Amino acid sequence: MPTTQNHSQRPLISFIVTTFNLPEEYLQTCISRLFTLSLTAKEREIIVVDDGSATPAINELNDYFDEIFYILQPHGGLSEARNTGLRMARGQYIQFVDGDDFLITIPYNHCLDIMRYHQPDMVVFDATTSEADDDSSATPPFSIEGPMNGSTYMYNHNLRASVCGYIFRKDIIGKLRFNVHSTTEDEEFTPQLILRAETLYATASKAYFYRQRATSLTHNTQPEACKRRIDDSFRVICTLQDRIDTLPEQEGVALKRRIAQLSMDYLYNVIRYTHDAHALETAIGMLRNRNLFPLPDKPYTRKYVWFRKLVASRIGRKILLVTIR
């Protein structure tokens, strides 16, 4: 695809935008917001990966034809699209953006300032689902926490799985890629990515707008889709647990916290999707066989503490089966 971008200098940041059969206005909003950020044309690279849309998304992006890289590939899923973007990206840093979401200008510029001034391996920021937060007249919380390494951050924080909540240096990913066979690709990719960060800064700025759509994969409540998400969640837990012995002690301890939280989420979703006592006991047995149940007695979050106590007893499990919807 022709482009006027200058290839003689490595861009500061590559935005990898993935799209598949999205409404025209969503993708246009996503792309247009990237041009409002405090970046020059030489500093940014915009890669749009169209994962086999029925109508090629390039037809909706004529206004940006000379300022983006557009890739149309056969439909292979979100992970395949993101991996394609990573192969193409030339930027020093990477930012993933789902095509139905967008970056919020003022708070994201704050994240860019952190990146420019401190040059860390990673910047962590917050997301919002409220359109009220997308207000250019509002003053966002320009907080900053750091520096720290990724394992310290993971041990002290409840991670947001979505990789879209992180700016990260491309060089730290090595051979790490998204699992193309999983529906929970972020849960597997993100913690492994964070552990690779030697310098990390975090901010509470709500820089990413996540659009909640009833037709999205995460909102598919068909029994087969729910079962696959549950099965994929357990597979991710096993994959991460198998990595612990290969890691330094500090990183292993941090990953154990993440595994405990994923184990809680796994049981929570078994209850939410099935409301079946036998299915819950089966899931508990699978975790117990991996020495992951009972859940560790740690004060990670308030939700974790109360859930751990209830799920540890048969009476508590009956309460959870009735109350979780």
Side-chain angles (χ1 to χ4, degrees):
M1 182 62 61
T3 178
T4 60
Q5 285 185 305
N6 187 345
H7 290 268
S8 64
Q9 181 180 352
R10 188 179 181 189
L12 178 63
I13 183 167
S14 293
F15 297 97
I16 300 175
V17 180
T18 53
T19 181
F20 174 66
N21 289 341
L22 291 178
E24 178 178 346
E25 62 272 19
Y26 288 0
L27 185 57
Q28 287 183 344
T29 296
C30 177
I31 300 299
S32 66
R33 288 304 187 96
L34 299 179
F35 292 98
T36 68
L37 302 174
S38 58
L39 294 161
T40 66
K42 290 182 179 180
E43 289 179 312
R44 67 171 177 257
E45 176 182 62
I46 301 173
I47 301 171
V48 179
V49 184
D50 186 343
D51 189 43
S53 296
T55 301
I58 191 62
N59 297 337
E60 305 163 6
L61 300 173
N62 289 333
D63 291 344
Y64 312 107
F65 186 83
D66 292 331
E67 299 180 88
I68 65 173
F69 294 97
Y70 174 81
I71 303 166
L72 176 63
Q73 64 180 31
H75 182 57
L78 178 59
S79 291
E80 189 62 59
R82 286 176 172 173
N83 288 340
T84 296
L86 282 174
R87 287 193 296 271
M88 295 295 297
R90 297 173 52 251
Q92 300 172 49
Y93 288 87
I94 300 292
Q95 174 67 63
F96 284 104
V97 189
D98 292 342
D100 48 350
D101 304 331
F102 58 83
L103 298 171
I104 304 176
T105 303
I106 294 179
Y108 193 80
N109 281 341
H110 173 53
C111 300
L112 292 175
D113 288 342
I114 296 172
M115 181 188 69
R116 285 190 179 100
Y117 185 78
H118 297 284
Q119 299 180 2
D121 288 335
M122 182 175 290
V123 179
V124 182
F125 52 88
D126 209 346
T128 181
T129 59
S130 172
E131 294 189 21
D133 290 320
D134 181 29
D135 183 357
S136 61
S137 65
T139 301
F142 284 171
S143 65
I144 182 170
E145 178 186 359
M148 69 193 89
N149 59 30
S151 57
T152 299
Y153 179 80
M154 186 183 296
Y155 182 76
N156 290 290
H157 295 80
N158 190 22
L159 299 187
R160 294 182 296 277
S162 174
V163 73
C164 296
Y166 306 84
I167 305 173
F168 61 92
R169 190 182 294 276
K170 186 185 180 186
D171 293 347
I172 71 171
I173 66 173
K175 296 182 179 179
L176 180 63
R177 294 295 183 271
F178 292 92
N179 187 337
V180 299
H181 303 294
S182 177
T183 59
T184 55
E185 58 280 319
D186 283 359
E187 294 284 14
E188 185 172 345
F189 182 92
T190 301
Q192 295 186 76
L193 175 67
I194 291 174
L195 288 177
R196 294 167 184 244
E198 294 183 6
T199 54
L200 178 153
Y201 287 84
T203 174
S205 295
K206 296 179 179 179
Y208 190 93
F209 180 81
Y210 171 69
R211 196 186 303 273
Q212 295 181 308
R213 295 193 300 131
T215 57
S216 68
L217 291 175
T218 55
H219 287 87
N220 187 341
T221 57
Q222 294 298 314
E224 289 186 3
C226 292
K227 183 180 185 306
R228 184 179 178 190
R229 285 201 294 274
I230 289 172
D231 292 345
D232 282 348
S233 295
F234 183 73
R235 181 193 54 74
V236 168
I237 291 169
C238 295
T239 297
L240 296 179
Q241 187 188 33
D242 290 343
R243 287 214 60 210
I244 288 178
D245 291 338
T246 69
L247 299 173
E249 182 178 359
Q250 183 184 22
E251 294 181 10
V253 170
L255 191 55
K256 285 181 181 179
R257 168 174 176 160
R258 186 59 185 163
I259 290 169
Q261 291 172 312
L262 290 176
S263 298
M264 181 199 75
D265 291 341
Y266 168 66
L267 295 177
Y268 185 94
N269 285 328
V270 168
I271 297 170
R272 176 187 172 199
Y273 292 139
T274 70
H275 295 102
D276 182 87
H278 177 71
L280 177 58
E281 294 302 324
T282 299
I284 288 173
M286 293 171 67
L287 289 177
R288 185 177 279 118
N289 289 338
R290 304 277 307 191
N291 294 318
L292 296 174
F293 191 90
L295 299 177
D297 185 5
K298 301 287 186 179
Y300 292 141
T301 65
R302 291 178 63 185
K303 179 180 177 180
Y304 177 89
V305 170
W306 71 256
F307 185 90
R308 182 194 62 78
K309 290 179 179 178
L310 286 174
V311 81
S313 69
R314 291 192 177 275
I315 293 176
R317 294 198 282 274
K318 289 181 179 179
I319 294 173
L320 291 171
L321 284 165
V322 172
T323 56
I324 294 176
R325 294 297 175 195

